[in-house]
Amino acid sequence: MPRLDESLLTHLPPFDGLSRTDIRRILDGAVSRRFEIGADIFREGEPADRFFLLLDGYIRVVRTTEAGEQITVLHIPAGQLFGIARAIGRETYPGRAVAAAECIVLCWPTALWDDFTRHYPGFGLSMARTVGVRLGEIQSRMQELATLHVEARIATALLRLITQTGRQTAAGVEIDFPLTRQDLSEMTGTTLHTVSRLLSAWQREGVVQSQHRRITVLDRARLEACAQHKG
Amino acid sequence: MPRLDESLLTHLPPFDGLSRTDIRRILDGAVSRRFEIGADIFREGEPADRFFLLLDGYIRVVRTTEAGEQITVLHIPAGQLFGIARAIGRETYPGRAVAAAECIVLCWPTALWDDFTRHYPGFGLSMARTVGVRLGEIQSRMQELATLHVEARIATALLRLITQTGRQTAAGVEIDFPLTRQDLSEMTGTTLHTVSRLLSAWQREGVVQSQHRRITVLDRARLEACAQHKG
DNA sequence: GCGATACTTTGAGCAAACGCAAAGTCCGAC
DNA sequence: GTCGGACTTTGCGTTTGCTCAAAGTATCGC
């Protein structure tokens, strides 16, 4: 494998302010891997013997019910650590991490975790903050699920997606990776039928534009209005 | 204030295995407080300048939407640390903590947090584990909210409550503190009307027994069956 | 005991969203 | 280019659970 470039890490919070040599050491412990769309990075219940940094791409963490339904519990945008189950006292991964877009990740064995936190104080802190943010996010999503109607939930999900991974185009903001109706329904706790109907309606009204697995938001303001509505 | 007894802490995970003198020091930094049912222990958005240990009682953490709806994001049974927002990098409490039963808590200023984690390694570990468990719980609740019908959600909530705070009586297992239909609806993301109808039905079938704000589960197996049903 | 307040029950009507079913469309592989 | 599979659309009937409304009941303070 080629030697990894130090500039990969210098601007990311966990490694912010570290010296070149420190970063060199950290990188030398890492393996870089590439995942195709749809590939599993880790699976629910697997021993949490690795942790990761997402350099590029987009990941969703899903849980599967006994009945086989899947729901997305978490989204991870580029630049974040993930798979840090061990850091919060878990032996196994609590969900499955799927590459939503093509992903480049760095991967370390869990053993290095203690090493890093001991030698680089910013690392532990940044991790705590990541967990905190994630807890907050998930609580917000729970609140949405409990109080908002389907329309508002889907609008919220789209807005979140374009903020995190939107790509500006002539027409509007496009979500930067293929996304099926099924994916959206798993994010919002509804069915792919309902999502499809809603997107069709929004398309008729010029709010979004979508063909096959690509979605572009044309009228962000309208979507935000939808996200507010309670009923 | 009377001196606190050391036996309060000796058997709790965060302080497990510490010497008498260590525990003495920890207790001397704490203030003990009592909260009546319904009292706020901390409020959403307040600076997180204290953390707590719940010695006795039961706490629920609620979030309020812009529209004023409340939903319960977390339950804390006796013996757990809570209000540890600072440990996960948050400046303010992300929700409101309400005493669901009469509560006895120990309270420390946040400043002592770093002290404890530095001197007592088990403390930091136990905290990480608490956060991990809590994240897992909240993800499960989200999954329930997304996939289960109201009936199954309410059944699940009741089962959780009797496992955590159930008191065995002649007839069955009683939830050990007053609980309104409204409370249950906030835990399950529904309306108090639906909860009331459902409890009435279950009462007719001899599954639960309830009057005013006390609920007793008579037929746990039936409730578990309800909790399974997807539709 | 009396009244006020908080909590609960129940009914009727209605809308949101689901389930099922079938047809249509796009894409990649060969 | 054509075939197969994955993804999407749409219609229709049904159900769940919400809203609104009103009456009933328990509890607490005085």
Side-chain angles (χ1 to χ4, degrees):
Chain A
M1 201 173 66
R3 227 163 170 244
L4 297 163
D5 193 84
E6 285 128 32
S7 64
L8 285 175
L9 300 188
T10 34
H11 299 307
L12 298 175
F15 309 100
D16 206 19
L18 291 183
S19 71
R20 274 180 85 84
T21 42
D22 282 344
I23 291 197
R24 191 68 263 159
R25 271 196 41 209
I26 290 174
L27 276 176
D28 285 344
V31 177
S32 159
R33 294 190 57 189
R34 197 164 141 283
F35 290 92
E36 298 296 330
I37 288 182
D40 286 356
I41 295 161
F42 53 77
R43 296 206 173 80
E44 190 165 349
E46 270 182 8
D49 51 9
R50 294 153 294 156
F51 67 94
F52 307 84
L53 176 71
L54 182 60
L55 289 177
D56 189 53
Y58 200 66
I59 283 168
R60 60 171 195 276
V61 179
V62 304
R63 282 183 150 220
T64 308
T65 67
E66 295 163 23
E69 289 163 301
Q70 307 213 331
I71 77 133
T72 302
V73 291
L74 202 59
H75 283 264
I76 296 159
Q80 287 202 5
L81 290 170
F82 69 101
I84 53 179
R86 209 52 168 279
I88 51 171
R90 303 193 63 114
E91 294 294 308
T92 60
Y93 297 115
R96 186 163 67 95
V98 185
E102 189 174 314
C103 289
I104 317 279
V105 306
L106 290 181
C107 172
W108 291 271
T110 304
L112 286 183
W113 183 270
D114 295 335
D115 231 46
F116 287 5
T117 43
R118 206 172 312 120
H119 289 89
Y120 318 115
F123 192 79
L125 276 180
S126 146
M127 195 283 298
R129 216 164 296 134
T130 302
V131 173
V133 169
R134 226 160 262 187
L135 241 167
E137 250 172 46
I138 215 172
Q139 286 182 358
S140 300
R141 298 224 15 232
M142 200 169 106
Q143 199 177 31
E144 286 163 21
L145 223 39
T147 62
L148 298 182
H149 280 202
V150 168
E151 187 185 37
R153 299 210 299 267
I154 296 175
T156 309
L158 285 180
L159 288 168
R160 207 191 317 267
L161 285 168
I162 62 170
T163 337
Q164 289 183 342
T165 72
R167 198 166 52 81
Q168 191 64 238
T169 67
V173 188
E174 185 183 347
I175 294 169
D176 210 11
F177 53 84
L179 189 72
T180 66
R181 312 289 186 250
Q182 172 83 29
D183 291 336
L184 263 173
S185 75
E186 285 170 6
M187 293 169 54
T188 52
T190 180
T191 63
L192 77 162
H193 306 281
T194 303
V195 173
S196 177
R197 271 181 254 271
L198 211 46
L199 285 183
S200 299
W202 280 341
Q203 176 136 350
R204 272 193 296 278
E205 296 169 26
V207 180
V208 304
Q209 169 107 36
S210 94
Q211 58 250 353
H212 200 49
R213 290 149 49 162
R214 312 227 63 115
I215 298 175
T216 306
V217 173
L218 307 178
D219 187 345
R220 191 190 182 120
R222 274 289 279 292
L223 222 47
E224 273 159 357
C226 282
Q228 303 290 331
H229 274 300
K230 293 288 182 300
Chain B
M1 201 174 67
R3 231 166 165 239
L4 296 164
D5 193 85
E6 286 128 31
S7 63
L8 284 175
L9 300 190
T10 35
H11 299 305
L12 298 176
F15 309 100
D16 205 21
L18 291 182
S19 70
R20 274 181 84 83
T21 43
D22 282 345
I23 292 197
R24 190 69 263 157
R25 272 197 39 210
I26 290 174
L27 276 175
D28 285 345
V31 177
S32 158
R33 294 190 57 187
R34 197 166 142 282
F35 291 91
E36 298 296 331
I37 288 182
D40 286 356
I41 295 160
F42 53 78
R43 296 204 173 80
E44 192 166 346
E46 269 182 10
D49 51 8
R50 293 153 294 156
F51 67 95
F52 307 84
L53 176 72
L54 182 59
L55 289 177
D56 190 51
Y58 200 65
I59 282 169
R60 60 171 196 274
V61 179
V62 304
R63 283 183 149 218
T64 307
T65 66
E66 295 163 23
E69 288 163 301
Q70 308 213 329
I71 77 132
T72 302
V73 290
L74 201 60
H75 282 266
I76 295 158
Q80 288 202 4
L81 290 170
F82 68 100
I84 54 180
R86 208 54 167 278
I88 50 171
R90 304 193 62 113
E91 295 294 309
T92 59
Y93 297 114
R96 186 163 66 96
V98 186
E102 190 174 312
C103 289
I104 317 280
V105 306
L106 291 181
C107 170
W108 292 270
T110 304
L112 286 183
W113 183 268
D114 296 333
D115 231 45
F116 287 5
T117 44
R118 206 171 313 122
H119 290 87
Y120 318 115
F123 192 79
L125 277 180
S126 146
M127 194 282 297
R129 216 165 297 135
T130 302
V131 172
V133 169
R134 226 161 261 183
L135 240 167
E137 251 172 48
I138 217 171
Q139 286 182 358
S140 301
R141 298 224 15 233
M142 201 171 106
Q143 198 176 32
E144 287 163 20
L145 223 39
T147 61
L148 299 181
H149 279 203
V150 168
E151 186 185 37
R153 299 210 299 266
I154 297 174
T156 308
L158 285 180
L159 287 168
R160 206 191 319 265
L161 286 168
I162 63 170
T163 339
Q164 288 183 343
T165 73
R167 198 164 52 81
Q168 191 63 238
T169 67
V173 188
E174 185 184 347
I175 293 167
D176 211 12
F177 53 84
L179 188 71
T180 67
R181 311 290 185 248
Q182 172 85 30
D183 291 336
L184 263 174
S185 75
E186 285 171 5
M187 293 169 53
T188 52
T190 180
T191 63
L192 75 162
H193 306 280
T194 303
V195 173
S196 177
R197 271 181 253 271
L198 211 46
L199 285 183
S200 297
W202 280 341
Q203 176 136 347
R204 271 193 296 279
E205 297 168 26
V207 180
V208 304
Q209 169 110 35
S210 94
Q211 58 249 354
H212 200 48
R213 289 150 48 165
R214 312 228 62 116
I215 298 176
T216 306
V217 174
L218 308 178
D219 187 346
R220 193 192 180 117
R222 274 288 280 291
L223 222 47
E224 273 158 358
C226 283
Q228 302 291 330
H229 275 300
K230 294 288 182 302

